[in-house]
Amino acid sequence: MQKALYIARTLLQKGPQTLQEICDGWAEYDARGKSMATSTFYDNRRVLAERFGLLLEQDAEKRYVVTQSSKMERPLLLRMVEGTTTTPLPTAEVWQPLLEEAHKNCQMVRMSYASLRRPAYETTLSPYALHTTAQGRHYVLGMSSVHKEIRTFALERIVALQLLPQHFTPPLRTDFFARSVGAMSGDVQDVATVRLRAHGYLVAYLRAVPLHASQQEVSTGVFEWQVVHDAELLRLLLSFGSFATVLAPDSLRRELRQTLQEMLGKYETE
């Protein structure tokens, strides 16, 4: 994917290029400063055509240029290689392969991110970990150059993503999400034994879709997890409504009770 995006970016930004110019230009991004093999160019040319409908053809001077086809996804490709933001945000799955490659190769990425709380901004990210919640939401965790700390980002909020030639040193820790039910990495020291009695449909649901890898049904309809007690856990439990009764720990029961009382107060009539 990295080489395919390089080819697309080169032609979209610089205009027509010869095969030699494209292959030699890759040396700037290669860790060993090597040019791209001709066979590799043709392989990635096919990727661009099959995945994005981006056709590369030669003009009269034997230079490659970008042409369109009926299935062209040029706005999305432009977003990936140039950071343009004229179309709706793509789905999280679009960014997954690129982030997986960056994570595997310990390679930094340049990311444009549309936060819900602030205008879109750019940051250089070292992707330390990828995470998919039980609810199917996708996240990437890493060191952000803007925040100067490790942050978690929702893939569905990414506007543009570009692999960079710089590499990062992977952290010693690898269990960022091991005890989380959501996107917060959590501190393993805050792990609690959460026990819940399920009612009605929720019994079959939890059996079919475990909330966490540690889930156990300790007795009929009673489930237990070893997870971090955080705001995401609280929101998840509240979403079950009257179909769930939290049995432990007491601190979580008190927090739920207080939250429910505050919610009830907002609906009381004067």
Side-chain angles (χ1 to χ4, degrees):
M1 179 61 72
Q2 181 183 5
K3 293 182 177 67
L5 293 180
Y6 154 75
I7 294 170
R9 181 174 63 252
T10 298
L11 294 178
L12 290 171
Q13 294 180 342
K14 296 183 178 180
Q17 298 280 301
T18 66
L19 175 60
Q20 193 64 48
E21 288 173 332
I22 295 171
C23 290
D24 287 347
W26 171 251
E28 179 182 347
Y29 301 92
D30 186 79
R32 293 174 298 226
K34 291 186 176 181
S35 298
M36 182 186 301
T38 301
S39 59
T40 302
F41 166 80
Y42 289 121
D43 288 342
N44 285 279
R45 179 189 181 191
R46 183 172 61 254
V47 169
L48 290 170
E50 294 176 351
R51 181 163 183 176
F52 298 102
L54 189 76
L55 303 184
L56 309 184
E57 304 292 348
Q58 288 183 311
D59 60 15
E61 299 179 15
K62 300 297 183 181
R63 299 177 304 174
Y64 280 95
V65 296
V66 174
T67 62
Q68 290 184 328
S69 71
S70 59
K71 63 175 182 176
M72 185 64 174
E73 296 183 27
R74 187 182 179 115
L76 173 58
L77 188 65
L78 282 170
R79 186 191 302 278
M80 295 176 71
V81 301
E82 295 181 333
T84 58
T85 59
T86 57
T87 58
L89 292 176
T91 61
E93 287 77 8
V94 169
W95 310 121
Q96 194 80 17
L98 198 63
L99 286 169
E100 288 176 352
E101 180 177 347
H103 172 64
K104 177 182 177 181
N105 297 328
C106 297
Q107 196 164 353
M108 296 180 183
V109 296
R110 187 65 179 169
M111 179 178 71
S112 293
Y113 192 74
S115 171
L116 292 173
R117 300 178 181 177
R118 57 182 290 190
Y121 61 90
E122 288 193 348
T123 185
T124 298
L125 183 71
S126 300
Y128 291 164
L130 295 171
H131 178 60
T132 300
T133 67
Q135 294 73 41
R137 300 283 300 278
H138 302 280
Y139 296 90
V140 58
L141 174 146
M143 179 62 70
S144 167
S145 64
V146 168
H147 305 95
K148 309 299 182 184
E149 63 181 5
I150 296 175
R151 288 288 186 96
T152 301
F153 301 90
L155 267 61
E156 64 191 33
R157 304 304 306 169
I158 296 177
V159 176
L161 198 64
Q162 180 182 342
L163 277 170
L164 299 176
Q166 295 89 351
H167 289 75
F168 63 87
T169 301
L172 297 177
R173 181 182 176 185
T174 59
D175 62 343
F176 291 102
F177 299 99
R179 294 297 179 181
S180 173
V181 297
M184 295 182 180
S185 58
D187 190 331
V188 293
Q189 295 179 348
D190 297 329
V191 170
T193 299
V194 177
R195 190 178 304 113
L196 173 149
R197 184 182 301 280
H199 312 281
Y201 87 95
L202 190 58
V203 176
Y205 176 82
L206 292 177
R207 289 170 178 168
V209 186
L211 297 186
H212 188 264
S214 65
Q215 177 173 303
Q216 294 184 32
E217 187 171 2
V218 295
S219 61
T220 303
V222 176
F223 297 87
E224 194 172 276
W225 304 272
Q226 302 293 324
V227 293
V228 173
H229 177 178
D230 58 18
E232 286 188 297
L233 175 63
L234 183 68
R235 288 195 294 270
L236 180 61
L237 295 174
L238 287 170
S239 72
F240 294 147
S242 61
F243 292 97
T245 303
V246 173
L247 306 176
D250 288 339
S251 59
L252 181 56
R253 286 172 56 86
R254 289 193 297 270
E255 188 175 6
L256 282 165
R257 186 183 302 113
Q258 180 180 348
T259 302
L260 290 169
Q261 288 173 344
E262 292 175 356
M263 292 173 63
L264 180 61
K266 297 181 183 298
Y267 292 94
E268 290 180 345
T269 57
E270 296 181 357

